[in-house]
Amino acid sequence: MPTFVVRATLLIGGILGIAAPTVAAQQSAATGPIIGASTPDSLATLVMQTFSTGTPEAFAAIFPDSAGRVFMRSRAPKQSNLAQVIWRDRGRAVLLLAGTTRDGGGGNQTNNARHFSGFYSAAESGGVWTVTHQIPFDSANYIRSQGLAVDIAPGKAIAVVDTLILTIGAPYGFGFRINNDVKFRSIRLDGKSVAYAFGGGVVWVPTPRKARATLILEYSLAAERRVDSAATPAFGAFHNTDMWHPAFDYISGNHLAQISITARIPAEYQLTTTIPQTVTMSNGVRTVRGTSMHAAFLLALIFDREWTPRTTDFGDFRFESFTTPAFRYPHDTLAARTKYVHDLLARRFGEPQSPSRYLAAVEDRALGASGGFNVRMNNAAISGGGGGSLGSESGQVFAHETGHAWTMNASGRASNFLHEAWAKFVESLVLRDMYGPAAETNYWEATRTSYMVGNDRSGWAGGFEGRQSILGDFDNGRIHYMKGAWILRAANWAMGDSTFDRGMRYYIEGMGGTPGGHEEFVAALSKAAGHSMASFVMPWLTSKYIPDVEARVEGDRLIAMQQQPGETFDLPRLEVELTTPTGKSIRTVDLRNRAATLIIDRIGPVSEIRVDPNHRYLLQRHWGEMVRFELPVSKLTGAQSVQLAATFLRQGVTLPATKSGDTWVVEVPLSEGRYSYVWSTADSVGARGGDAGRGGTTDPALTGTRVVRPLQHVENPYPGR
Ligand SMILES: [Zn+2]
């Protein structure tokens, strides 16, 4: 799907073409005691030598952190950069360990190492020092503001002076991440040059604790992304994922800072700083001054000689487009769509993080000529060159990127959930409004199917169920777009519109300048509900499983039970449909524990019991059909073997058809839902389930959509097996 990521963490894997390490939530328990060294210094050296030249087994024996182990195991050759003891007392020490891939350019090097390079705690026991755990990079340290002065030489480099106001609460100094190719001219802390360490994508500045310190960085960074061989290219960009100025990582709340920027570029270029900005011209130089209206973390600089920027104000909301004349959508279309999404959301959820009343729509030709609107950076919704699609009956990419404004400052381990689940939820609201409830229903069904078959960017395909949790895959996961979105849909159902909307407003308003993690999200919903919503929200975030509910009737009692492994869910207002000789009726059960009993009248024999018939929740489904897919042999003349690909199958999986007379046949148990499929000859290439029915070059005679009804209990159905 072309919808992603606020602040582009998926860009790292998806567009910049590197493999982002998947972070496992838990430490591996498989290895024995961690090996150590006789001093903290020799320990630091040993770890980094093993990182760059040892075997994965040797590294795992000395290094307990699972994310670092995953990175070390990746195939790209590594380099060791920093191995220092930066603090110690009798039995404890803090190590600065940094290393990254040898190749890839500075932005990729920094991103590749972002779960590894950093601070580690070491402890001594019986004369042996061992690494105990990673110390989160932002522990007790804050970036309060950044004041950037940037000179842009398109196609060549940027020269930067960044004045940061910091709070330094850690006893071992201050660290930040930045593009590994940055060339520092000076680093000054409170007016004095400091001896800093830089490598593996991190900078460490030794300093005592300070409630307020001023750090001034002077550096240059060469243009990495050469998209055009001309001496002065028509366009270019320094994206947030290029880490061209300091941050802790992609999810910290501690670096959400007031950011101001003064950027200078030759006057023939237009420039967006991705935050509200003003422009002045003098002596052939365009000077762009931007000020973040709320705390932000990393800016992008995107420029183009062909843009004709235009603005439209709706009251005190400003919309600005930066597009070339060839862009598919004119300014007025984009402005009208922006206002439409804004008004639709504001009616229910208020204004986005007040006062974030600015949106830029940017054609970023440095992203290539495809993709449409697919990423959000601060106040900018960003499209690849040309424009793609604003949305369709199956998804609303422009509304997705616009809607990000409401939870833009979400932070912490649930930040991708709070960003992407929300933006996907926004799409559903727009679909309902534009196309009606059937389109919205189809969207949620497709989102569920995607969760069940699952395809993760880190390479494996095979369903998220039982394999990932939201908090366990905080970094880059696709799970947030699917299961995450369903959590908001379920909360909306469980709480009702007015309470849910109030809860979201509390959460959104609370983020004006301060971080908002899942703790704040739970607190906001709880405040609106008048009771704690933790038991409702948390199992969805921590469990690798979705609820699996069965119900039965015994006499005058309806008994509902959760039977999934792991966490017990709180499922209020769970609907159960009972079929009796007099018809169907829906009972509502608050299933807050493993089992709940509802007293019902003696209603006579119950022939069918269906849990959640209206799909309010993301649940395991036990009802469906044995579905027979048939293709006349004449549709694929001469084919020796035929296969079916479908959205209910995992990527790369197809089902072989059997020939019955003049018909190819596939028979398969399917759970209730709506699925697309495509037939192909077994020797043809490119028929993937994920592409089924999504247009393109596929022959319409070979594709279709199948609605599967809840006609019978089916054992082990697709999708999800
Ligand atoms: Zn997104």
Side-chain angles (χ1 to χ4, degrees), residues 359-608:
L359 181 80
V362 179
E363 180 187 14
D364 184 354
R365 294 200 284 166
L367 288 179
S370 64
F373 284 94
N374 62 16
V375 64
R376 170 105 186 187
M377 297 184 191
N378 299 303
N379 293 74
I382 297 184
S383 169
S389 165
L390 295 185
S392 70
E393 209 164 323
S394 59
Q396 287 291 317
V397 290
F398 187 71
H400 176 113
E401 304 306 341
T402 308
H404 269 315
W406 275 255
T407 64
M408 194 70 201
N409 273 9
S411 58
R413 289 167 62 87
S415 60
N416 274 320
F417 157 64
L418 292 160
H419 292 146
E420 301 305 341
W422 167 258
K424 292 292 286 182
F425 182 75
V426 166
E427 291 188 61
S428 77
L429 301 180
V430 171
L431 286 170
R432 187 199 305 169
D433 190 62
M434 290 178 74
Y435 300 102
E440 186 197 7
T441 300
N442 291 344
Y443 171 82
W444 286 114
E445 292 297 302
T447 305
R448 181 189 191 277
T449 303
S450 295
Y451 171 78
M452 296 304 289
V453 301
N455 290 307
D456 189 85
R457 293 207 158 236
S458 62
W460 60 266
F464 296 107
E465 178 67 1
R467 306 174 79 153
Q468 283 190 3
S469 70
I470 295 270
L471 289 183
D473 193 54
F474 60 88
D475 185 50
N476 239 359
R478 299 293 296 161
I479 190 172
H480 308 289
Y481 295 74
M482 302 160 194
K483 181 182 179 184
W486 266 90
I487 299 171
L488 295 184
R489 170 175 163 82
N492 194 169
W493 165 252
M495 301 171 78
D497 276 1
S498 79
T499 306
F500 174 72
D501 294 2
R502 201 161 62 246
M504 285 306 305
R505 280 177 189 245
Y506 288 142
Y507 175 64
I508 291 159
E509 285 164 11
M511 278 190 301
T514 59
H518 65 275
E519 300 89 345
E520 287 80 6
F521 175 70
V522 169
L525 294 192
S526 302
K527 185 178 166 191
H531 57 83
S532 172
M533 289 295 290
S535 65
F536 177 86
V537 175
M538 291 312 295
W540 290 106
L541 302 185
T542 58
S543 181
K544 294 179 178 177
Y545 297 92
I546 60 175
D548 185 356
V549 180
E550 287 276 36
R552 65 181 194 274
V553 171
E554 289 180 3
D556 63 350
R557 296 182 308 157
L558 170 63
I559 301 162
M561 293 185 67
Q562 301 184 40
Q563 53 195 18
Q564 75 282 353
E567 282 86 334
T568 299
F569 286 77
D570 179 1
L571 304 170
R573 292 186 74 196
L574 181 67
E575 295 177 327
V576 181
E577 183 187 78
L578 305 178
T579 304
T580 64
T582 56
K584 294 179 190 296
S585 63
I586 286 188
R587 309 299 167 116
T588 303
V589 185
D590 290 327
L591 181 54
R592 314 205 106 115
N593 297 297
R594 277 278 155 182
T597 300
L598 185 72
I599 303 298
I600 54 175
D601 297 333
R602 292 197 172 272
I603 54 175
V606 176
S607 57
E608 283 182 15

Side-chain angles (χ1 to χ4, degrees), residues 46-69:
L46 180 61
V47 168
M48 291 312 300
Q49 273 176 357
T50 313
F51 170 80
S52 58
T53 60
T55 63
E57 294 71 29
F59 190 64
I62 195 171
F63 190 76
D65 188 78
S66 58
R69 289 176 177 178

